[in-house]
Amino acid sequence: MTSEIRSIKKRDVKPGMFVHGYGCGTFHDPFVAVGRFVETYDDIAKYLPEETEQVEILTDKIFEKKIKNDHSVRSAATAAADLAEALPAARRIHEDALDYARKFIDDVRNGKEINIAEAEPIIGQVIESISTNESAAITLAFLKSYDEYTFTHCINVNLYSLLLGKALGLDSDELKDLGLAAMFHDVGKGRISNTLLNKPGKLTDSEFETMKGHSLQGLKVLSNIKGLSEDVLCGVFEHHERYDGKGYPQKIKGDEIHKFARIIAICDVYDALTSVRVYKQAMTPAKSLSLMFKWKGTDFDPEYFNIFIRIMGVYPPGSMVQLEDKRYAIVLETNEAFPLKPKVKILFNHRMQPIISECVDLASCSDDGRELKVLRQPFPASMGIDMKQLSRFLV
């Protein structure tokens, strides 16, 4: 059977495709054979030069991904030990970022110019942190305070966006710009009154229009600052655009929306749903993802959203779960190949009484010959649990 060759744009190359080669076959743009499957977004950068425009793929070749059983290589006990070792450094970075968020938001409220130079090393530290131990960084994102939502939201969206950007194969310069865009995505809210921002009831039409104006206000704040790239400004200005074109302020859609904005849109909603606000209770990560899944392709870039689920997991590190045997545990690490079976540290019995801790990989664990599964994901605050206090069991 003859292979069918199709020419596509480089930007349309996706993991799972078989790249036949690239180039137009001319003297100035010779054809270069590749003959490889693209397994990850990193492979695209590896096999196709940056200046490549057209790529030939073979449409009859299908890549069947072989899932590695990482759980058999890395035990839950090892994951727990690595997490305990990485948490102190991750916590320091988290606190530095939180201090900076408090400062730059206050500066905006007081009409002062933001000091971008102070943000850049913090973004670099976050990138280094997720490269060292993603689980430690994500764990700290769930130890957030209701009273400081405005500040924690900035740094959590920054963290989630960098995780997603890294998974999408962005290079180091792009990650730094993405981090800045994510950190400042809601900077325009600094020009909206706290009374409106924290209103417990439904907004009037007029109030909602004022709130929607924070995208443009953010652009105005940042446009006066030297050294910010156009990509950063687009990420801030467009993060409320929707994939189907029904967002704001420009009602652009699909790939017309800057990739930074498409990334930030997902992370912004995820952190908002999993946070307590003056007008709502927080949702568990599992319920939040379930709700967001319904908006895939309308609100969110479907490809980016699928990758976000993969890197965060249904039960992300730092979240609490109850197992089928009724014991309670904290998630240590996701199992990418088995998203419903994370590595956990069991801490309490069914009455929430402390027991001898046990590190368990649910992907390879059984209880009296039966598979041990997650029963549900409770919301800690509803049980009177302070996650910041609970985190001491991880170190």
Side-chain angles (χ1 to χ4, degrees):
M1 177 174 158
T2 305
S3 295
E4 182 180 344
I5 298 175
R6 185 157 65 97
S7 180
I8 63 174
K9 297 286 187 183
K10 180 189 174 185
R11 65 171 180 265
D12 295 324
V13 177
K14 303 288 189 297
M17 292 181 175
F18 186 91
V19 175
H20 175 56
Y22 61 87
C24 297
T26 65
F27 178 78
H28 294 290
D29 188 14
F31 178 81
V32 178
V34 176
R36 290 176 177 269
F37 276 110
V38 171
E39 298 184 31
T40 67
Y41 282 90
D42 287 340
D43 286 347
I44 296 175
K46 186 189 304 181
Y47 302 146
L48 303 175
E50 187 174 347
E51 64 274 12
T52 302
E53 294 184 0
Q54 292 295 127
V55 179
E56 290 188 355
I57 63 169
L58 301 187
T59 59
D60 63 331
K61 285 184 175 286
I62 300 173
F63 175 64
E64 296 181 1
K65 186 176 179 181
K66 296 180 180 179
I67 297 175
K68 293 196 309 180
N69 290 326
D70 292 332
H71 63 276
S72 64
V73 177
R74 178 181 167 84
S75 70
T78 300
D82 289 350
L83 180 60
E85 183 179 352
L87 267 176
R91 193 183 300 276
R92 285 193 295 272
I93 295 170
H94 184 87
E95 289 298 328
D96 287 346
L98 190 56
D99 287 342
Y100 177 72
R102 294 188 188 104
K103 183 179 183 301
F104 87 72
I105 290 173
D106 282 345
D107 285 347
V108 173
R109 287 173 176 164
N110 294 322
K112 298 179 181 178
E113 186 173 294
I114 297 173
N115 189 335
I116 297 295
E118 292 180 355
E120 291 172 343
I122 291 173
I123 303 299
Q125 289 172 5
V126 176
I127 294 172
E128 184 179 350
S129 178
I130 63 177
S131 298
T132 302
N133 192 305
E134 289 185 3
S135 295
I138 296 173
T139 294
L140 292 174
F142 284 96
L143 308 182
K144 47 198 170 189
S145 168
Y146 158 73
D147 295 329
E148 293 202 300
Y149 172 79
T150 301
F151 312 121
T152 59
H153 183 63
C154 295
I155 60 177
N156 287 349
V157 172
N158 168 257
L159 168 66
Y160 299 146
S161 296
L162 288 172
L163 285 166
L164 181 51
K166 180 169 171 277
L168 287 167
L170 301 189
D171 63 33
S172 59
D173 289 335
E174 287 179 308
L175 284 176
K176 290 173 184 175
D177 277 350
L178 171 61
L180 289 171
M183 176 74 83
F184 299 128
H185 77 284
D186 272 348
V187 70
K189 288 185 178 179
R191 292 190 170 177
I192 297 175
S193 72
N194 280 331
T195 303
L196 180 56
L197 290 174
N198 297 317
K199 182 179 177 179
K202 184 179 179 180
L203 300 180
T204 65
D205 290 345
S206 175
E207 289 171 335
F208 185 56
E209 287 303 314
T210 298
M211 189 71 80
K212 285 166 61 177
H214 80 272
S215 297
L216 179 58
Q217 290 295 332
L219 180 64
K220 290 179 178 178
V221 169
L222 298 177
S223 294
N224 296 324
I225 300 174
K226 294 180 180 179
L228 284 182
S229 71
E230 190 74 19
D231 293 329
V232 174
L233 299 179
C234 286
V236 172
F237 185 53
E238 299 174 9
H239 75 276
H240 278 294
E241 300 290 354
R242 283 176 36 164
Y243 199 70
D244 63 0
K246 295 180 180 179
Y248 63 85
Q250 303 174 98
K251 297 190 180 301
I252 54 179
K253 64 182 179 179
D255 290 347
E256 295 173 359
I257 306 168
H258 194 282
K259 62 183 175 184
F260 286 2
R262 282 180 278 151
I263 290 170
I264 294 169
I266 294 169
C267 304
D268 180 32
V269 172
Y270 181 76
D271 188 64
L273 290 176
T274 56
S275 300
V276 177
R277 301 300 311 277
V278 66
Y279 49 82
K280 75 169 190 70
Q281 291 298 313
M283 290 184 185
T284 63
K287 187 174 181 180
S288 298
L289 285 179
S290 177
L291 182 61
M292 292 174 69
F293 190 84
K294 299 175 183 177
W295 302 331
K296 183 176 74 167
T298 55
D299 288 37
F300 311 125
D301 183 316
E303 178 190 338
Y304 286 12
F305 183 71
N306 287 340
I307 295 172
F308 183 76
I309 292 178
R310 175 172 62 78
I311 60 174
M312 290 299 295
V314 177
Y315 309 115
S319 62
M320 175 178 263
V321 293
Q322 185 178 28
L323 306 178
E324 285 189 334
D325 65 4
K326 307 299 184 183
R327 291 182 294 174
Y328 291 91
I330 294 182
V331 177
L332 298 168
E333 185 176 271
T334 59
N335 271 318
E336 189 172 308
F338 305 94
L340 298 177
K341 301 176 180 180
K343 298 179 179 73
V344 302
K345 188 172 186 178
I346 302 172
L347 299 170
F348 305 102
N349 64 16
H350 65 291
R351 294 178 178 173
M352 279 301 294
Q353 297 168 328
I355 57 177
I356 297 174
S357 64
E358 180 183 358
C359 297
V360 174
D361 185 345
L362 297 183
S364 59
C365 176
S366 63
D367 180 27
D368 295 329
R370 295 175 300 150
E371 189 177 15
L372 189 58
K373 299 179 180 179
V374 172
L375 173 66
R376 68 188 185 103
Q377 186 172 47
F379 182 59
S382 66
M383 303 168 65
I385 299 170
D386 184 340
M387 284 301 292
K388 285 190 175 182
Q389 293 296 320
L390 198 58
S391 68
R392 72 181 187 275
F393 290 100
L394 293 174
V395 294

